[in-house]
PDB file of all heavy atoms in Angstrom:
ATOM      1  N   HIS A  81     118.981  76.927 106.366  1.00 97.00           N
ATOM      2  CA  HIS A  81     119.035  76.359 105.010  1.00 97.00           C
ATOM      3  C   HIS A  81     118.976  77.435 103.925  1.00 97.00           C
ATOM      4  O   HIS A  81     119.307  77.178 102.766  1.00 97.00           O
ATOM      5  CB  HIS A  81     117.925  75.318 104.802  1.00 97.00           C
ATOM      6  CG  HIS A  81     116.595  75.900 104.446  1.00 97.00           C
ATOM      7  ND1 HIS A  81     115.642  76.240 105.369  1.00 97.00           N
ATOM      8  CD2 HIS A  81     116.058  76.226 103.242  1.00 97.00           C
ATOM      9  CE1 HIS A  81     114.574  76.743 104.763  1.00 97.00           C
ATOM     10  NE2 HIS A  81     114.808  76.739 103.463  1.00 97.00           N
ATOM     11  N   SER A  82     118.531  78.658 104.295  1.00 97.00           N
ATOM     12  CA  SER A  82     118.388  79.720 103.291  1.00 97.00           C
ATOM     13  C   SER A  82     119.720  80.088 102.636  1.00 97.00           C
ATOM     14  O   SER A  82     119.742  80.531 101.490  1.00 97.00           O
ATOM     15  CB  SER A  82     117.881  81.009 103.930  1.00 97.00           C
ATOM     16  OG  SER A  82     116.710  80.779 104.610  1.00 97.00           O
ATOM     17  N   TYR A  83     120.803  79.917 103.397  1.00 98.00           N
ATOM     18  CA  TYR A  83     122.092  80.429 102.889  1.00 98.00           C
ATOM     19  C   TYR A  83     122.622  79.571 101.738  1.00 98.00           C
ATOM     20  O   TYR A  83     122.903  80.120 100.677  1.00 98.00           O
ATOM     21  CB  TYR A  83     123.062  80.618 104.066  1.00 98.00           C
ATOM     22  CG  TYR A  83     122.465  81.618 105.035  1.00 98.00           C
ATOM     23  CD1 TYR A  83     121.614  81.216 106.067  1.00 98.00           C
ATOM     24  CD2 TYR A  83     122.653  82.988 104.854  1.00 98.00           C
ATOM     25  CE1 TYR A  83     120.997  82.137 106.903  1.00 98.00           C
ATOM     26  CE2 TYR A  83     122.040  83.914 105.691  1.00 98.00           C
ATOM     27  CZ  TYR A  83     121.221  83.485 106.710  1.00 98.00           C
ATOM     28  OH  TYR A  83     120.601  84.409 107.524  1.00 98.00           O
ATOM     29  N   PRO A  84     122.692  78.237 101.888  1.00 98.00           N
ATOM     30  CA  PRO A  84     123.053  77.456 100.689  1.00 98.00           C
ATOM     31  C   PRO A  84     121.981  77.538  99.610  1.00 98.00           C
ATOM     32  O   PRO A  84     122.292  77.497  98.413  1.00 98.00           O
ATOM     33  CB  PRO A  84     123.217  76.028 101.212  1.00 98.00           C
ATOM     34  CG  PRO A  84     122.601  75.997 102.563  1.00 98.00           C
ATOM     35  CD  PRO A  84     122.646  77.397 103.102  1.00 98.00           C
ATOM     36  N   LEU A  85     120.716  77.696 100.037  1.00 98.00           N
ATOM     37  CA  LEU A  85     119.625  77.796  99.051  1.00 98.00           C
ATOM     38  C   LEU A  85     119.844  78.998  98.117  1.00 98.00           C
ATOM     39  O   LEU A  85     119.564  78.931  96.920  1.00 98.00           O
ATOM     40  CB  LEU A  85     118.285  77.958  99.794  1.00 98.00           C
ATOM     41  CG  LEU A  85     117.034  78.005  98.927  1.00 98.00           C
ATOM     42  CD1 LEU A  85     116.759  76.630  98.305  1.00 98.00           C
ATOM     43  CD2 LEU A  85     115.813  78.446  99.749  1.00 98.00           C
ATOM     44  N   PHE A  86     120.376  80.087  98.657  1.00 98.00           N
ATOM     45  CA  PHE A  86     120.654  81.285  97.847  1.00 98.00           C
ATOM     46  C   PHE A  86     122.043  81.201  97.205  1.00 98.00           C
ATOM     47  O   PHE A  86     122.204  81.492  96.028  1.00 98.00           O
ATOM     48  CB  PHE A  86     120.612  82.550  98.716  1.00 98.00           C
ATOM     49  CG  PHE A  86     119.249  83.119  98.958  1.00 98.00           C
ATOM     50  CD1 PHE A  86     118.244  82.355  99.558  1.00 98.00           C
ATOM     51  CD2 PHE A  86     118.944  84.429  98.623  1.00 98.00           C
ATOM     52  CE1 PHE A  86     116.985  82.899  99.797  1.00 98.00           C
ATOM     53  CE2 PHE A  86     117.682  84.969  98.862  1.00 98.00           C
ATOM     54  CZ  PHE A  86     116.716  84.209  99.454  1.00 98.00           C
ATOM     55  N   TYR A  87     123.052  80.836  98.002  1.00 98.00           N
ATOM     56  CA  TYR A  87     124.440  80.992  97.530  1.00 98.00           C
ATOM     57  C   TYR A  87     124.854  79.915  96.528  1.00 98.00           C
ATOM     58  O   TYR A  87     125.747  80.148  95.722  1.00 98.00           O
ATOM     59  CB  TYR A  87     125.414  80.993  98.717  1.00 98.00           C
ATOM     60  CG  TYR A  87     125.328  82.234  99.605  1.00 98.00           C
ATOM     61  CD1 TYR A  87     125.961  82.276 100.842  1.00 98.00           C
ATOM     62  CD2 TYR A  87     124.629  83.360  99.198  1.00 98.00           C
ATOM     63  CE1 TYR A  87     125.897  83.406 101.655  1.00 98.00           C
ATOM     64  CE2 TYR A  87     124.555  84.489 100.010  1.00 98.00           C
ATOM     65  CZ  TYR A  87     125.191  84.497 101.240  1.00 98.00           C
ATOM     66  OH  TYR A  87     125.123  85.621 102.029  1.00 98.00           O
ATOM     67  N   GLU A  88     124.220  78.736  96.579  1.00 98.00           N
ATOM     68  CA  GLU A  88     124.647  77.681  95.629  1.00 98.00           C
ATOM     69  C   GLU A  88     124.189  77.988  94.200  1.00 98.00           C
ATOM     70  O   GLU A  88     125.023  77.998  93.293  1.00 98.00           O
ATOM     71  CB  GLU A  88     124.236  76.305  96.139  1.00 98.00           C
ATOM     72  CG  GLU A  88     124.986  75.979  97.437  1.00 98.00           C
ATOM     73  CD  GLU A  88     125.349  74.514  97.633  1.00 98.00           C
ATOM     74  OE1 GLU A  88     124.891  73.665  96.866  1.00 98.00           O
ATOM     75  OE2 GLU A  88     126.113  74.235  98.583  1.00 98.00           O
ATOM     76  N   PRO A  89     122.895  78.280  93.952  1.00 98.00           N
ATOM     77  CA  PRO A  89     122.524  78.647  92.576  1.00 98.00           C
ATOM     78  C   PRO A  89     123.208  79.938  92.116  1.00 98.00           C
ATOM     79  O   PRO A  89     123.484  80.114  90.931  1.00 98.00           O
ATOM     80  CB  PRO A  89     121.007  78.836  92.626  1.00 98.00           C
ATOM     81  CG  PRO A  89     120.565  78.511  93.987  1.00 98.00           C
ATOM     82  CD  PRO A  89     121.738  78.239  94.852  1.00 98.00           C
ATOM     83  N   LEU A  90     123.484  80.805  93.085  1.00 98.00           N
ATOM     84  CA  LEU A  90     124.177  82.050  92.752  1.00 98.00           C
ATOM     85  C   LEU A  90     125.606  81.747  92.269  1.00 98.00           C
ATOM     86  O   LEU A  90     126.207  82.511  91.532  1.00 98.00           O
ATOM     87  CB  LEU A  90     124.200  82.937  94.011  1.00 98.00           C
ATOM     88  CG  LEU A  90     124.517  84.409  93.874  1.00 98.00           C
ATOM     89  CD1 LEU A  90     123.550  85.113  92.925  1.00 98.00           C
ATOM     90  CD2 LEU A  90     124.473  85.089  95.246  1.00 98.00           C
ATOM     91  N   GLY A  91     126.125  80.614  92.699  1.00 98.00           N
ATOM     92  CA  GLY A  91     127.492  80.234  92.331  1.00 98.00           C
ATOM     93  C   GLY A  91     128.506  81.151  92.982  1.00 98.00           C
ATOM     94  O   GLY A  91     129.559  81.449  92.400  1.00 98.00           O
TER      95      GLY A  91
END
Side-chain angles (χ1 to χ4, degrees):
H81 82 269
S82 305
Y83 300 88
L85 183 70
F86 277 58
Y87 291 168
E88 295 214 351
L90 196 57

